[in-house]
Amino acid sequence: MADRKRPSLFPLALIALAVLFVLAFSSGPGTAAQIDQFPQTTLEPKSEVARAIDDVLDGIVIWVIVIFVVVQAALVLTVAKFRHRPGGAPARNLHGNTTLEIAWTLAPAIILAFIAVPTVKVIFSNAKPTKGDVQVRVVGHQWWWEFQYPGKGVITANELHIPVGKTVSLELESVDVIHSFWVPAFAGKKDLIPGRTNHLWFTPETTGTYSGQCAEFCGASHANMYFKVVVQTQEEFDAWLAQQKAPVAPPDSGSLAARGLEVYSKGQCVACHMIDGVSYGVVGPNLGKVSTRQTIAAGMFPNDDEHLSAWIRNAPALKPGSLMLKQELSDDDLAALVAYLRTRR
Ligand code: CUA
């Protein structure tokens, strides 16, 4: 029987590689609010902590490339040199080669030591407790983030403001399940554990808005637990703090917002949300300055009237598992409520 030519695997391998390449460098579709948060990358560190982690990764990548090249070269060389040739002698069986066995035990051990020592060094230096110039208490909730500025009288949600060039130290806590605080640009992941306080610190080097998200599965909307980190100049940060603390005048009587305040005060909102002087709920985000924030629903949607209305009307439809209940409100009451929340800035 004539030798049938075997199909070459080369084109298939090329296609597989191309698919992997496309998958690796593309990100899935997201909501409008999500898209401007990408890319979330650890490869562009913006703090000393993130840079140290990135340096460890760079070292590991170099080792991986060296190992890949050496192993593949040895493989190709062996296959080429020792392939079966017509009329060639049959293959010999080899048993035991002490030199080789010592070499392939020692070499990986030495390489692992070169990887482990810098890694452990960075882990310890990042874990060192630091007082920091700015302290923020971060509380994880299903499925949003609370940011408290102790001694400053400021509580906000899903948007952490910090000054550039100052070391920020975070106290991480949770009121329900384990979450994980992760802003790739600034630091590694750190868990928020009920009944325990974890610490994380970093010094942001550039101003701008950076995205973060929960990195520990915490229930139905784990994937919808985003937050923003807004790094500002000291002046902008001070102005932001002042704005967050400034009292808000009650709406003019007879205005739409005044009617909205009534809807708010008589509705279910007061059970979960806090607005200084109006309601004292602590289950949901503090709404005192809700209209200064860029997003709602923990980074899922832009904070515009359309999304805010849809959110109040039926939050669970927009965010699976949302603990914010569907509200039975007339269109007029809803418009009034949104108008009132827009005064909270
Ligand atoms: Cu919170 Cu995942």
Side-chain angles (χ1 to χ4, degrees):
M1 199 166 97
D3 257 359
R4 217 177 286 157
K5 201 166 176 262
R6 262 188 296 166
S8 168
L9 289 178
F10 189 67
L12 269 182
L14 261 190
I15 292 169
L17 261 183
V19 169
L20 279 178
F21 189 81
V22 168
L23 286 179
F25 291 95
S26 63
S27 51
T31 62
Q34 284 165 18
I35 286 166
D36 77 351
Q37 299 185 342
F38 285 101
Q40 263 191 175
T41 176
T42 56
L43 302 179
E44 286 165 32
K46 297 282 193 282
S47 81
E48 75 285 54
V49 171
R51 183 160 296 105
I53 295 170
D54 189 49
D55 288 347
V56 169
L57 177 67
D58 289 349
I60 292 172
V61 168
I62 290 171
W63 275 114
V64 166
I65 291 172
V66 169
I67 292 167
F68 180 82
V69 168
V70 168
V71 170
Q72 295 305 313
L75 186 67
V76 169
L77 205 79
T78 312
V79 166
K81 192 169 171 201
F82 300 106
R83 73 182 185 279
H84 176 72
R85 292 184 175 85
R92 268 190 308 138
N93 274 334
L94 274 180
H95 288 289
N97 185 322
T98 312
T99 317
L100 267 183
E101 281 163 20
I102 290 175
W104 69 51
T105 306
L106 268 186
I110 292 168
I111 293 170
L112 280 182
F114 273 110
I115 289 172
V117 171
T119 305
V120 172
K121 231 168 91 178
V122 166
I123 290 172
F124 276 91
S125 82
N126 287 356
K128 253 195 332 234
T130 293
K131 175 84 170 57
D133 305 305
V134 181
Q135 278 86 40
V136 184
R137 196 164 161 249
V138 181
V139 186
H141 297 256
Q142 281 176 319
W143 289 275
W144 59 282
W145 303 87
E146 183 173 356
F147 298 115
Q148 306 175 355
Y149 293 73
K152 303 267 197 297
V154 169
I155 300 176
T156 186
N158 306 320
E159 203 173 291
L160 173 65
H161 286 246
I162 48 177
V164 68
K166 299 287 161 66
T167 301
V168 187
S169 81
L170 306 175
E171 283 183 3
L172 307 172
E173 294 167 18
S174 170
V175 295
D176 38 47
V177 298
I178 299 177
H179 303 272
S180 181
F181 182 92
W182 188 37
V183 200
F186 297 128
K189 299 163 183 169
K190 184 70 74 91
D191 281 2
L192 297 85
I193 299 170
R196 184 195 154 98
T197 303
N198 275 346
H199 297 270
L200 184 71
W201 61 271
F202 57 84
T203 313
E205 289 164 354
T206 48
T207 56
T209 302
Y210 299 89
S211 68
Q213 71 177 83
C214 181
E216 179 75 53
F217 181 70
C218 56
S221 265
H222 156 68
N224 297 318
M225 194 167 162
Y226 301 97
F227 59 99
K228 281 176 185 281
V229 179
V230 183
V231 184
Q232 300 169 300
T233 63
Q234 185 67 49
E235 296 73 45
E236 287 167 346
F237 175 69
D238 291 339
W240 177 81
L241 273 182
Q243 185 198 19
Q244 295 296 307
K245 266 193 293 193
V248 176
D252 295 334
S253 63
S255 66
L256 187 63
R259 194 175 143 203
L261 171 57
E262 224 171 282
V263 174
Y264 179 87
S265 311
K266 289 181 181 156
Q268 295 175 326
C269 318
V270 293
C272 295
H273 296 284
M274 185 176 298
I275 291 182
D276 232 4
V278 182
S279 66
Y280 297 92
V282 290
V283 177
N286 185 307
L287 299 181
K289 295 282 172 162
V290 62
S291 287
T292 63
R293 296 176 205 150
Q294 300 172 27
T295 67
I296 57 168
M300 277 185 90
F301 307 108
N303 188 2
D304 56 29
D305 292 356
E306 188 196 337
H307 285 92
L308 187 58
S309 305
W311 176 253
I312 295 170
R313 177 145 274 162
N314 193 352
L318 298 177
K319 186 168 182 173
S322 168
L323 302 181
M324 161 109 176
L325 302 172
K326 198 173 153 180
Q327 301 296 312
E328 303 293 348
L329 291 172
S330 70
D331 288 351
D332 290 349
D333 282 354
L334 183 59
L337 182 51
V338 169
Y340 169 61
L341 293 175
R342 287 298 172 236
T343 67
R344 303 303 312 190
R345 54 174 65 250

